[in-house]
Amino acid sequence: MFSEGKKTSKMVHSDPDISGSTNNMGSDIDYNGRHSSYSGYDPNRLSGEGSPMMMSPWNQNSPFTKSPWANNNVDEKMSQNVPKNGLIGSLVREEGHIYSLAAKNEILYTGSDSKNIRVWKNMKEFAAFKSNSGLVKAIIISGDKIFTGHQDGKIRVWKINSKNPSIHKRTGTLPSFFDIFKSSIKPSNYVEVKRNRTALWIKHCDAISCLSMSQEQGLLYSASWDRTFKVWRVENSKCLESVKAHDDAVNSVVASVEGMVYTGSADGSVKVWKREASGKAVRHVFVQQLLKQECAVTALAVNKPGSVIYCGSSDGVVNFWEREKQLAHGGVLKGHKLAVLCLAAAGNLVFSGSADKTICVWRREGTVHTCLSVLTGHTGPVKCLATEEDKESSGGDRRWIVYSGSLDKSVKVWSVSEMAPDLHQVAMMQQGQGGDNSWDSIPSAKY
C-alpha cells in the first residue's frame, strides 16, 4: 500500500490498510500531519477538536428512533415539521469490503473485493455479475453501459440487456486485446514506467483508482496509481491520450463543464487540466496547480454547474475552491477526525465520508458551508458515496437519497433534506436560545 522510498507517515493511496483493525489506521498513518497551505487557522489544532461529529444530535441509527428534541422544552409540533436526515436501511452481503458505488434511476451498483458487481433495486438484490479478476474500485453508468475499473489496471465494459435489465453481458475490456496487439508492434508505443520498466501507453500498469465521464463529449477518464490519467472514446473504446499527471498515485479524476478536468494525487497536489480538441484528436493541457501539501489528496468532487471544487485529504480536511472567472480558494471544512476517503456533491449539499466511519453533510449557502448533520452507523471506514435526487421530494423540501459503502462490508441508504436544520440550530432549539453558528466553513486566508 505504500510506495518504496517514501516515509510511511504519508498516506500514499486513498485505500487505507485494511489488513488490520480500523483502530490501527491512525497509528501507521499521520492523518493530522499538515493542513493545507491555504488553511486560515491554527495548524496545530487537530481536525477532531470541535468536530461536529462530537456533538451531533443525529447520532441515531434510524429516523424512526426518538426525536432528538423529545426531552427538551421544544414545541412537539415544531420538531415534527422540521425535515430530518436519517437512515433508511442497510444492504449487507458478507462477501467483501465495498469499494465502489454508482446509482441511476433508483438502481444501485456496488463493487467489492469479491470481484462481484451487485445490482440493487428497492433495497433488494436485483442482479449480479462477476469479473474475472481485480477487485472493483470504480463504477460508472453511461446509458445502457456499465464501466468498472479494477485493481488489475483494466476497465471492463458491460451492457444491460434491453429486454431483461437484470442481465448484464460483458462486451469488452479497455484497452481491447486487438488494440494492445496492434500497439505492441510499434516500439514508439512503449513508455517508461517505474524502475526502468516499459509498458504500452494505452495500458494502465497499476490499479485504477477512479473513473469519470464527460457525457456530452462521450469521453471516459480513468485515474490510476501508475501516476497517469487516460482518456477513452466510449463509442469505439479507443484510448485517445495518456497524461503523466503526478509524481505519485492519482487517487481521483473528475471531468467537469467546459472541458475542465481535475486530478488529485498521493503527492499532495490538485491539478487543473483543460481539454483541447482539433478534429478527432483530444489533448489535455495543464492549467494550474490548486494545492500542494504534505498529506495525500484522497478524493475530489465538483458540483453540477462546475462552480465549486472539493478536495478531501488524508488529514481529515476538505478544501474547496470557487470558480468564477478564475479558481479561488474558498476555505476548509473540518468535520472529521481521520482521513476523508470519498466526496459527493448534490444540489447545494456536499457529503464527505471518512476513515472515522462517519459521513458529514454540508450545505452551501453563498460562500459558507454549514454542517447539517453527521451520519453515523457504519462500523468501518466509509470508502465510497453515491447520490440520487429523491423523486418523492415536494415543494421547497429537496431531498436526496445517499448511498454509503464501507469497509464494514455494508452499504447504508440515507434520506437527506436540504432544508434540515444545521447542528447549531438544533443545539439552540434544544437549549432554547440563539447564537452564532459554530460549524461554518473556515474561510480562506486572504493573501
Side-chain angles (χ1 to χ4, degrees):
M1 299 302 295
F2 299 96
S3 62
E4 294 179 16
K6 300 212 172 185
K7 56 186 179 182
T8 55
S9 65
K10 177 180 172 185
M11 183 175 184
V12 174
H13 302 314
S14 62
D15 292 338
D17 182 1
I18 58 173
S19 58
S21 71
T22 54
N23 293 332
N24 294 331
M25 296 187 62
S27 60
D28 295 334
I29 302 160
D30 180 12
Y31 288 110
N32 298 310
R34 277 239 220 118
H35 301 306
S36 162
S37 56
Y38 297 104
S39 172
Y41 60 89
D42 182 8
N44 296 317
R45 176 185 160 201
L46 298 182
S47 63
E49 290 177 21
S51 164
M53 188 188 76
M54 307 306 293
M55 48 196 94
S56 170
W58 303 111
N59 283 346
Q60 47 182 318
N61 290 332
S62 167
F64 307 110
T65 56
K66 203 170 184 182
S67 163
W69 296 292
N71 295 324
N72 294 278
N73 299 321
V74 179
D75 181 28
E76 197 62 39
K77 274 189 181 178
M78 183 180 175
S79 69
Q80 287 171 0
N81 292 334
V82 173
K84 298 176 191 176
N85 298 340
L87 185 68
I88 298 173
S90 295
L91 312 177
V92 183
R93 286 239 5 178
E94 290 279 344
E95 64 176 7
H97 304 286
I98 307 296
Y99 277 92
S100 51
L101 296 171
K104 187 178 181 181
N105 299 329
E106 300 178 347
I107 302 284
L108 176 70
Y109 290 82
T110 62
S112 71
D113 52 9
S114 70
K115 305 176 192 174
N116 290 321
I117 298 104
R118 302 222 169 255
V119 191
W120 307 81
K121 187 176 183 180
N122 300 325
M123 304 284 290
K124 294 177 182 175
E125 189 170 341
F126 176 63
F129 49 101
K130 187 174 184 176
S131 63
N132 294 335
S133 61
L135 65 84
V136 187
K137 296 182 66 66
I139 305 175
I140 204 157
I141 307 166
S142 177
D144 63 349
K145 287 183 178 176
I146 313 295
F147 297 90
T148 53
H150 298 258
Q151 181 86 25
D152 62 7
K154 292 179 182 177
I155 301 166
R156 292 170 172 84
V157 189
W158 314 81
K159 191 166 184 182
I160 304 167
N161 188 296
S162 57
K163 292 179 181 176
N164 185 350
S166 68
I167 297 174
H168 296 73
K169 185 181 179 184
R170 184 169 152 192
T171 58
T173 304
L174 305 182
S176 69
F177 176 79
F178 178 74
D179 284 343
I180 292 171
F181 176 74
K182 196 167 69 170
S183 295
S184 65
I185 299 168
K186 206 171 178 184
S188 61
N189 285 326
Y190 288 85
V191 293
E192 187 175 339
V193 292
K194 52 190 174 184
R195 295 196 193 93
N196 298 318
R197 278 178 49 218
T198 58
L200 291 172
W201 69 271
I202 63 172
K203 284 177 69 176
H204 280 301
C205 59
D206 207 334
I208 288 174
S209 56
C210 184
L211 296 173
S212 185
M213 179 76 77
S214 172
Q215 297 284 1
E216 307 80 31
Q217 301 297 320
L219 299 177
L220 177 70
Y221 292 81
S222 57
S224 171
W225 289 355
D226 66 10
R227 309 179 184 191
T228 72
F229 73 87
K230 299 190 192 297
V231 189
W232 311 82
R233 193 174 298 287
V234 170
E235 64 178 2
N236 60 10
S237 301
K238 299 290 184 190
C239 186
L240 304 179
E241 188 183 14
S242 177
V243 180
K244 170 68 169 66
H246 290 273
D247 297 327
D248 209 329
V250 185
N251 285 328
S252 190
V253 61
V254 179
S256 185
V257 296
E258 298 171 11
M260 305 302 290
V261 177
Y262 304 92
T263 55
S265 168
D267 65 14
S269 68
V270 176
K271 293 184 179 180
V272 186
W273 310 81
K274 184 82 162 57
R275 185 181 65 249
E276 293 181 352
S278 58
K280 286 192 173 183
V282 173
R283 182 167 163 262
H284 287 76
V285 178
F286 173 72
V287 176
Q288 70 181 109
Q289 183 168 276
L290 292 180
L291 182 67
K292 182 62 182 174
Q293 60 184 15
E294 271 298 306
C295 57
V297 172
T298 47
L300 296 175
V302 179
N303 67 347
K304 196 171 182 181
S307 58
V308 189
I309 296 93
Y310 298 93
C311 157
S313 303
S314 60
D315 62 357
V317 170
V318 176
N319 280 273
F320 68 94
W321 294 262
E322 290 154 341
R323 180 176 174 247
E324 291 180 3
K325 290 183 179 177
Q326 58 184 21
L327 283 157
H329 189 255
V332 293
L333 312 180
K334 287 208 119 188
H336 293 290
K337 297 170 76 178
L338 295 176
V340 174
L341 301 179
C342 50
L343 291 168
N348 292 323
L349 301 180
V350 63
F351 306 90
S352 54
S354 169
D356 66 17
K357 310 173 189 176
T358 70
I359 301 138
C360 281
V361 182
W362 308 87
R363 179 171 60 208
R364 182 175 67 89
E365 294 170 276
T367 58
V368 175
H369 291 70
T370 305
C371 189
L372 294 189
S373 47
V374 180
L375 307 177
T376 63
H378 279 297
T379 58
V382 180
K383 188 65 185 72
C384 46
L385 291 165
T387 62
E388 266 202 299
E389 189 163 1
D390 189 341
K391 291 180 180 174
E392 294 179 10
S393 294
S394 59
D397 182 20
R398 194 181 187 191
R399 300 190 71 86
W400 298 89
I401 302 298
V402 180
Y403 304 95
S404 57
S406 169
L407 303 189
D408 65 10
K409 304 182 181 180
S410 79
V411 175
K412 293 196 182 295
V413 187
W414 314 85
S415 176
V416 176
S417 169
E418 290 193 9
M419 301 300 292
D422 61 54
L423 295 179
H424 173 75
Q425 290 171 321
V426 172
M428 291 306 102
M429 289 167 79
Q430 289 179 332
Q431 295 165 20
Q433 59 185 353
D436 294 330
N437 195 320
S438 305
W439 297 293
D440 288 348
S441 51
I442 301 167
S444 173
K446 303 299 178 190
Y447 297 104

